Amino acid sequence: MLGEFEYLLLSAAARLKEEAYGASIRQDIEGSTGRRCSVGALYTTLDRLESKGLIQTWMADATPQRGGRPKRMVRLTAKGVAAAADFYNAVEQASRGLSWSASRVAVKA
Amino acid sequence: MTERICRRLADLLSQALDPAERDAVRGDLAELQAPRGKAVREMAGLVVRRQAVLLKDWRLWLTVLGLIGPAGVLLNRMARGLIGTIDRQLRTYLTYDVPYRNGLTMPEEAIVFLCQLFVLVLSSWIAGMAAGALLRRAVWTAGALFVLVWIVLAIVSPMPNVWLPGGIVFILPVIWGMRQGVRFGAPAFGAAISIAAVMAAMIAVATWTSGWRQAGLEAWSEGALPGGANWQTRLLPFAVMSWPAWCMLAIASLRKSGVLSR
């Protein structure tokens, strides 16, 4: 089963699609959770997910705004999509009937 | 000024990362326009995490127990002894206005000192190179451990006048050797033979000349201070201290014969 941060990273990469790379994933996670995401946590988690076969990474073009340095691009594999879906289902199942789950629905409604 | 220091520090820290990762991380920090201080913290955090992962590698612990610990202690002690010689000469001269006499002439004293200094610098360089070649990505941890040995010895056996210069004489060649080890790996057979030959020759000369001091002291004191150790006893610390050179030679010959892969 995935860890919480691994799930956040996979979700960000899935949302960003072709634009998923280190800096954009970090901004997405910080924007969606309101929590700080350090470079150290991001890059070590990327390595772990890649070694589990849940993502693929490769070095892409450099841009002037990055000081001419390349990006480490990220793409989910089919196994990664399945792992994220499993995690989401497990959290949803585990939250069923709980007060915070109900209050979130109430707030949304 | 602060910004320049932070930039240099972030650049220095990034050297501990693989080149591709270094570029990607520095690019990310530039794109996010992270303030310099934050960039240093972020870079340091990643380096610490990367080095911490490597602590699980058995080769690191083998190198620590077999190389960094014993070689670090011996090299450090020899460096302190050598600097202690200069310290004693200087303080005697400054206090009493006469040179410290131990039965050797100044040229003899200089030869003994230079031989031992050369063995020390060469042994430290080879120990650093062996650590760099064996550990590669964990080289920062290895470097930190060499410094830790230095600090622990300074605490356990304090010698206020010599610990800093003694440490520098030992640490600088270690760092230089580590850089070489990381860049070029373990030396090939020919280079390893050459290094071992130079080391053996220098050890022989240092063992021989270290006997001068004892003989000189015995003659100067008219037998009151005995000459002491035989050549085998004088050779032992040099031989132990230089074992990384023999280790590199063994690795190179095993690789040459195909027993070890590259």
Side-chain angles (χ1 to χ4, degrees):
Chain A
M1 177 122 161
L2 293 173
E4 180 205 355
F5 188 68
E6 289 176 330
Y7 175 74
L8 291 176
L9 204 154
L10 288 178
S11 303
R15 198 162 26 245
L16 290 162
K17 298 191 177 86
E18 300 302 312
E19 283 303 311
Y21 62 94
S24 66
I25 290 174
R26 178 179 152 147
Q27 281 180 314
D28 188 279
I29 291 174
E30 289 185 343
S32 60
T33 64
R35 280 157 52 182
R36 194 176 150 268
C37 169
S38 75
V39 166
L42 180 70
Y43 274 81
T44 47
T45 308
L46 282 179
D47 281 0
R48 197 165 56 245
L49 291 174
E50 190 164 31
S51 69
K52 288 180 184 174
L54 304 182
I55 57 167
Q56 283 179 333
T57 72
W58 70 99
M59 301 304 286
D61 302 340
T63 59
Q65 67 181 132
R66 296 173 57 83
R69 296 196 173 89
K71 298 170 178 173
R72 183 176 177 183
M73 305 301 294
V74 178
R75 182 192 298 138
L76 261 70
T77 61
K79 198 177 163 188
V81 172
D86 284 349
F87 183 91
Y88 180 78
N89 290 334
V91 170
E92 202 176 43
Q93 291 281 335
S95 310
R96 197 166 290 167
L98 296 174
S99 58
W100 54 81
S101 177
S103 65
R104 191 190 61 152
V105 173
V107 168
K108 275 182 93 176
Chain B
M1 179 70 178
T2 312
E3 185 164 320
R4 219 172 67 195
I5 292 171
C6 287
R7 193 186 309 134
R8 294 282 301 166
L9 204 55
D11 286 349
L12 186 69
L13 286 167
S14 72
Q15 297 300 312
L17 303 173
D18 286 340
E21 182 167 63
R22 184 189 312 154
D23 280 348
V25 172
R26 288 169 76 178
D28 284 352
L29 292 173
E31 184 179 331
L32 295 167
Q33 296 179 325
R36 293 289 176 195
K38 191 179 177 194
V40 171
R41 283 200 305 277
E42 296 265 5
M43 196 67 85
L46 178 57
V47 170
V48 168
R49 279 169 186 266
R50 287 280 181 242
Q51 296 289 311
V53 168
L54 298 170
L55 291 177
K56 294 176 189 164
D57 190 340
W58 62 270
R59 283 171 300 188
L60 174 69
W61 294 106
L62 186 69
T63 313
V64 168
L65 296 174
L67 177 79
I68 297 174
V73 170
L74 281 169
L75 292 168
N76 208 343
R77 289 187 75 89
M78 185 178 178
R80 283 155 54 124
L82 275 178
I83 298 298
T85 308
I86 298 179
D87 179 59
R88 197 164 47 237
Q89 287 284 1
L90 272 178
R91 286 203 294 157
T92 307
Y93 194 78
L94 292 174
T95 311
Y96 303 107
D97 209 22
V98 290
Y100 178 87
R101 305 299 305 178
N102 57 4
L104 291 185
T105 61
M106 282 307 279
E108 285 173 335
E109 184 78 50
I111 289 170
V112 172
F113 178 82
L114 288 175
C115 286
Q116 295 192 1
L117 182 67
F118 192 84
V119 171
L120 171 70
V121 170
L122 189 60
S123 301
S124 303
W125 179 72
I126 292 171
M129 188 173 64
L134 290 171
L135 297 176
R136 296 283 175 121
R137 291 180 67 186
V139 73
W140 279 56
T141 301
L145 290 170
F146 269 116
V147 174
L148 187 67
V149 169
W150 172 28
I151 292 169
V152 167
L153 275 182
I155 294 167
V156 171
S157 146
M159 292 172 72
N161 292 328
V162 301
W163 82 270
L164 184 61
I168 289 169
V169 166
F170 141 74
I171 288 289
L172 288 183
V174 165
I175 292 170
W176 177 33
M178 278 184 167
R179 287 178 64 95
Q180 302 285 104
V182 170
R183 278 181 71 185
F184 305 116
F189 186 67
I193 282 266
S194 307
I195 291 170
V198 171
M199 179 60 98
M202 281 316 299
I203 285 176
V205 174
T207 304
W208 174 43
T209 54
S210 65
W212 297 358
R213 187 175 281 159
Q214 292 173 333
L217 202 59
E218 189 172 10
W220 175 75
S221 65
E222 296 174 345
L225 298 170
N230 56 22
W231 69 267
Q232 292 94 332
T233 313
R234 297 200 309 274
L235 170 69
L236 190 64
F238 294 128
V240 174
M241 200 170 65
S242 65
W243 88 265
W246 319 122
C247 177
M248 299 304 276
L249 181 60
I251 290 172
S253 45
L254 287 173
R255 279 181 176 162
K256 189 167 186 254
S257 61
V259 176
L260 272 183
S261 58
R262 289 222 153 248

